[in-house]
Amino acid sequence: MENISNQYQRQTMKNWILILVLSVMTVGYVNAQKSTLQKQGTATQLVVDGKPFLILGGELGNSSAACTEDIERIFPKLQRMGLNTVLVPAYWDLIEPREGQFDFTLTDKVIRQARQNDLKVIFLWFGAWKNSMSCYAPLWFKENYKKYPRAYTQKGKPLEIASAFSKNVFQADNCAFSQWMEHVAAIDKEAGTVIMIQIENEIGMLEDARDYSKEANALFNAPVPAELMSYLQKNKKTLHPQMLEKWESQGSKKQGTWQEVFGADIYTDELFMAWHYARYVERMAQSARSIYNIPLYVNAAMNSRNRKPGEYPSAGPLAHLIDIWHCGAPNIDLLAPDLYDNGFTDWVAKYKLHNNPLFIPEIKLTDNNGVRAFYIFGEHDAIGISPFSIEGGSDSPNSPLVKSYRTLKEFMPLLAKYQGKGAMKGLLFDQENKERIIYQDDLKITCRHFFTLPWDARATDGSVWPEGGGVLLRLAPNEYIVAGSGIVIEFEKATENQVKVRALGEDGFAQAGGKGDGVISDKVMWKGARCGIGSVDEVKVNKDGTLSYIRRLNGDQDHQGRHVRISVGDFQILHVKLYEYKYCLLYTSPSPRD
Ligand code: DGJ
């Protein structure tokens, strides 16, 4: 028989094991990363509190978080607008007004207000650079230009741009950033309100494509760093086409100075500068990771309107420089475009790359932002979108952005479930680009702008068409979700033979009697199966991704079974079931058929 002492020892041992397990679990919980990036199929998802999270964001205007009263006033409005995330500057000049003395009042206020208004926060470190310039560096830094040197143009003009080649610049910037990150981590690690950090803002050289300071010139004439050379060789197959072309133009050299390897032009100057910006940012990113390990990104001003390096913030995290940035700053998770120019679909396609998930931290605030959000989630498995100067937008429940964010929030479980699996298409239409045809399974799916239908006066009265857009999600063969606004979709079998029919009027009858405007061939016999609309139901998406029926849309609402549509101005989620029918023996054909 066991004596009492053995029993006691065994019990004590059990207790210790239990304590150990609990403490491991507790430590695990406390240190659990609240926000992280994870792969799902071909997509990279932002995962927050264990669930995929799509950023329905907005970025504050530059000076809107510079006093506590503004933060207090603005944040409740953002909640009414339906945002789930706010992007907020963290201003170096206000955080370290005197060298070594830190003030985190605004940061604390942002985090508190965000929590009270059910918002996540992405902080933007306005440190050494903001839109190229160093305007957010504190005055003590700016005045001491001997210690904290400037970048120079080729002609020797000092710029209000701190030199990325100066150790002192980096030390001052990184010291403030690290102190601030320590503070953010201390107050946020458990709650996880802060979900990403943007390091600097729209880094880039202006006036010339590179810095011509003494340090910069010396490095420019030195060999291209070995790690970049071996990166190019190792990743040759997947390099950005512009990068590959530039390297190959000089014979794909394995070593040499920047000009020897890439040629002597301003595009080489930009590559050189990008490398050094990336190295600088990488060191900042390493500091951030060691303090608070959440996703990190950098944003870029676009090289649009045929501008050349030096004419836009050059060497920033631009798509054509992605290899330089990836190699130079491996701790940066994504390069993000700020979109203010025309050509939205082209721009986003440039930043959704096999090695870069799409996040739009800034886009011009317009009524089209809502449908564009649908488009990028459906077409590009995007992480999120964030119109700029968001506090200036409308918080009316009927404004397009508010409606769109409300619908997207509900749609999120399905979007998250299907990202990266090839089941979704994004739709986006305007007056010039009215139609997209998608072939899927045995279907031809014609998607169009709502105004291609004959029944909205705004289509033809000279109004500028608001963009229409949405997501087409294939749940199963013949079963779809159509979500968004201002779109119309027709389904037919891709194998149907095409007998041209006369244009139909609003009621679905021939537009005019007699021969009219169309061609009806009475010679061609019908072939193949047809596709019909079984049902169109407006649905609500539940938190677990299941659907709840709201109402059946039939009759006039699906044009008596001819199409699925969502009007301009409405945002809806529709569940569509299709069925097929075909010629069968009951029909006595006048001629042989197959
Ligand atoms: C892009 C910058 O990143 C923003 O901070 C802001 O300056 C906008 N441009 C323009 O207002």
mmCIF file of all heavy atoms in Angstrom, residues 59 62 126 130-131 201-202 299 338 340 362 388, ligand 1:
data_model
loop_
_atom_site.group_PDB
_atom_site.id
_atom_site.type_symbol
_atom_site.label_atom_id
_atom_site.label_comp_id
_atom_site.label_asym_id
_atom_site.label_seq_id
_atom_site.Cartn_x
_atom_site.Cartn_y
_atom_site.Cartn_z
ATOM 1 N N GLU A 59 -8.617 57.146 -43.244
ATOM 2 C CA GLU A 59 -7.442 57.806 -42.666
ATOM 3 C C GLU A 59 -7.791 59.238 -42.313
ATOM 4 O O GLU A 59 -8.411 59.955 -43.112
ATOM 5 C CB GLU A 59 -6.268 57.770 -43.654
ATOM 6 C CG GLU A 59 -5.021 58.468 -43.082
ATOM 7 C CD GLU A 59 -3.758 58.203 -43.876
ATOM 8 O OE1 GLU A 59 -3.590 57.092 -44.404
ATOM 9 O OE2 GLU A 59 -2.938 59.140 -43.970
ATOM 10 N N ASN A 62 -4.286 65.060 -42.092
ATOM 11 C CA ASN A 62 -2.984 65.143 -41.435
ATOM 12 C C ASN A 62 -3.007 65.816 -40.059
ATOM 13 O O ASN A 62 -2.244 65.456 -39.176
ATOM 14 C CB ASN A 62 -1.987 65.885 -42.325
ATOM 15 C CG ASN A 62 -1.610 65.106 -43.568
ATOM 16 O OD1 ASN A 62 -1.097 65.669 -44.524
ATOM 17 N ND2 ASN A 62 -1.836 63.801 -43.578
ATOM 18 N N PHE A 126 4.693 59.357 -38.513
ATOM 19 C CA PHE A 126 5.160 60.524 -39.258
ATOM 20 C C PHE A 126 6.496 60.931 -38.630
ATOM 21 O O PHE A 126 6.547 61.777 -37.738
ATOM 22 C CB PHE A 126 4.148 61.676 -39.162
ATOM 23 C CG PHE A 126 2.939 61.555 -40.068
ATOM 24 C CD1 PHE A 126 2.641 60.379 -40.730
ATOM 25 C CD2 PHE A 126 2.094 62.647 -40.254
ATOM 26 C CE1 PHE A 126 1.517 60.270 -41.568
ATOM 27 C CE2 PHE A 126 0.969 62.565 -41.089
ATOM 28 C CZ PHE A 126 0.686 61.380 -41.740
ATOM 29 N N LYS A 130 7.636 62.555 -44.338
ATOM 30 C CA LYS A 130 6.192 62.621 -44.599
ATOM 31 C C LYS A 130 6.037 63.249 -45.982
ATOM 32 O O LYS A 130 6.418 64.409 -46.161
ATOM 33 C CB LYS A 130 5.522 63.455 -43.497
ATOM 34 C CG LYS A 130 4.239 64.167 -43.880
ATOM 35 C CD LYS A 130 3.078 63.213 -44.029
ATOM 36 C CE LYS A 130 1.752 63.859 -44.241
ATOM 37 N NZ LYS A 130 1.450 64.453 -45.521
ATOM 38 N N ASN A 131 5.508 62.480 -46.944
ATOM 39 C CA ASN A 131 5.432 62.925 -48.345
ATOM 40 C C ASN A 131 6.804 63.455 -48.786
ATOM 41 O O ASN A 131 6.931 64.614 -49.194
ATOM 42 C CB ASN A 131 4.404 64.029 -48.573
ATOM 43 C CG ASN A 131 3.005 63.644 -48.165
ATOM 44 O OD1 ASN A 131 2.818 62.763 -47.341
ATOM 45 N ND2 ASN A 131 2.016 64.310 -48.708
ATOM 46 N N ASN A 201 5.897 58.056 -43.984
ATOM 47 C CA ASN A 201 4.760 58.283 -44.891
ATOM 48 C C ASN A 201 5.246 58.753 -46.257
ATOM 49 O O ASN A 201 5.922 59.787 -46.357
ATOM 50 C CB ASN A 201 3.822 59.340 -44.294
ATOM 51 C CG ASN A 201 2.522 59.441 -45.064
ATOM 52 O OD1 ASN A 201 1.599 58.662 -44.849
ATOM 53 N ND2 ASN A 201 2.448 60.375 -45.995
ATOM 54 N N GLU A 202 4.907 57.968 -47.265
ATOM 55 C CA GLU A 202 5.280 58.303 -48.641
ATOM 56 C C GLU A 202 6.726 58.783 -48.748
ATOM 57 O O GLU A 202 7.013 59.892 -49.220
ATOM 58 C CB GLU A 202 4.315 59.335 -49.237
ATOM 59 C CG GLU A 202 2.924 58.777 -49.468
ATOM 60 C CD GLU A 202 2.040 59.685 -50.310
ATOM 61 O OE1 GLU A 202 2.426 60.828 -50.595
ATOM 62 O OE2 GLU A 202 0.935 59.234 -50.684
ATOM 63 N N ASN A 299 3.828 53.025 -47.273
ATOM 64 C CA ASN A 299 2.913 53.493 -48.320
ATOM 65 C C ASN A 299 3.676 54.311 -49.367
ATOM 66 O O ASN A 299 4.742 54.861 -49.079
ATOM 67 C CB ASN A 299 1.764 54.314 -47.723
ATOM 68 C CG ASN A 299 2.231 55.601 -47.068
ATOM 69 O OD1 ASN A 299 3.346 55.687 -46.574
ATOM 70 N ND2 ASN A 299 1.375 56.605 -47.056
ATOM 71 N N ASP A 338 -1.064 54.637 -52.380
ATOM 72 C CA ASP A 338 -1.993 55.729 -52.082
ATOM 73 C C ASP A 338 -2.569 56.176 -53.418
ATOM 74 O O ASP A 338 -1.813 56.599 -54.302
ATOM 75 C CB ASP A 338 -1.252 56.901 -51.418
ATOM 76 C CG ASP A 338 -0.776 56.547 -50.017
ATOM 77 O OD1 ASP A 338 -1.230 55.521 -49.469
ATOM 78 O OD2 ASP A 338 0.043 57.300 -49.463
ATOM 79 N N TYR A 340 -4.790 58.502 -55.761
ATOM 80 C CA TYR A 340 -5.490 59.783 -55.944
ATOM 81 C C TYR A 340 -5.779 60.071 -57.411
ATOM 82 O O TYR A 340 -6.474 61.009 -57.724
ATOM 83 C CB TYR A 340 -4.665 60.927 -55.346
ATOM 84 C CG TYR A 340 -4.632 60.868 -53.828
ATOM 85 C CD1 TYR A 340 -3.672 60.125 -53.163
ATOM 86 C CD2 TYR A 340 -5.589 61.538 -53.082
ATOM 87 C CE1 TYR A 340 -3.664 60.053 -51.779
ATOM 88 C CE2 TYR A 340 -5.587 61.480 -51.693
ATOM 89 C CZ TYR A 340 -4.622 60.734 -51.042
ATOM 90 O OH TYR A 340 -4.633 60.663 -49.679
ATOM 91 N N GLU A 362 -4.692 54.822 -48.453
ATOM 92 C CA GLU A 362 -5.252 56.135 -48.795
ATOM 93 C C GLU A 362 -5.872 56.054 -50.180
ATOM 94 O O GLU A 362 -5.255 55.548 -51.118
ATOM 95 C CB GLU A 362 -4.164 57.211 -48.864
ATOM 96 C CG GLU A 362 -3.587 57.579 -47.530
ATOM 97 C CD GLU A 362 -2.538 58.684 -47.666
ATOM 98 O OE1 GLU A 362 -2.759 59.648 -48.428
ATOM 99 O OE2 GLU A 362 -1.490 58.543 -47.028
ATOM 100 N N PHE A 388 -9.090 58.817 -47.635
ATOM 101 C CA PHE A 388 -8.307 59.818 -46.896
ATOM 102 C C PHE A 388 -9.177 60.994 -46.451
ATOM 103 O O PHE A 388 -10.106 61.390 -47.131
ATOM 104 C CB PHE A 388 -7.163 60.324 -47.779
ATOM 105 C CG PHE A 388 -6.307 61.343 -47.082
ATOM 106 C CD1 PHE A 388 -5.445 60.957 -46.069
ATOM 107 C CD2 PHE A 388 -6.383 62.683 -47.416
ATOM 108 C CE1 PHE A 388 -4.662 61.885 -45.403
ATOM 109 C CE2 PHE A 388 -5.600 63.624 -46.765
ATOM 110 C CZ PHE A 388 -4.742 63.224 -45.760
HETATM 111 C C1 DGJ B 1 -0.822 61.606 -49.436
HETATM 112 C C2 DGJ B 1 -0.263 61.710 -48.051
HETATM 113 O O1 DGJ B 1 0.188 60.453 -47.640
HETATM 114 C C3 DGJ B 1 -1.284 62.258 -47.082
HETATM 115 O O2 DGJ B 1 -0.702 62.372 -45.825
HETATM 116 C C4 DGJ B 1 -1.799 63.576 -47.608
HETATM 117 O O3 DGJ B 1 -0.771 64.511 -47.644
HETATM 118 C C5 DGJ B 1 -2.406 63.352 -48.976
HETATM 119 N N1 DGJ B 1 -1.424 62.829 -49.867
HETATM 120 C C6 DGJ B 1 -2.926 64.591 -49.678
HETATM 121 O O4 DGJ B 1 -3.718 65.362 -48.942
#
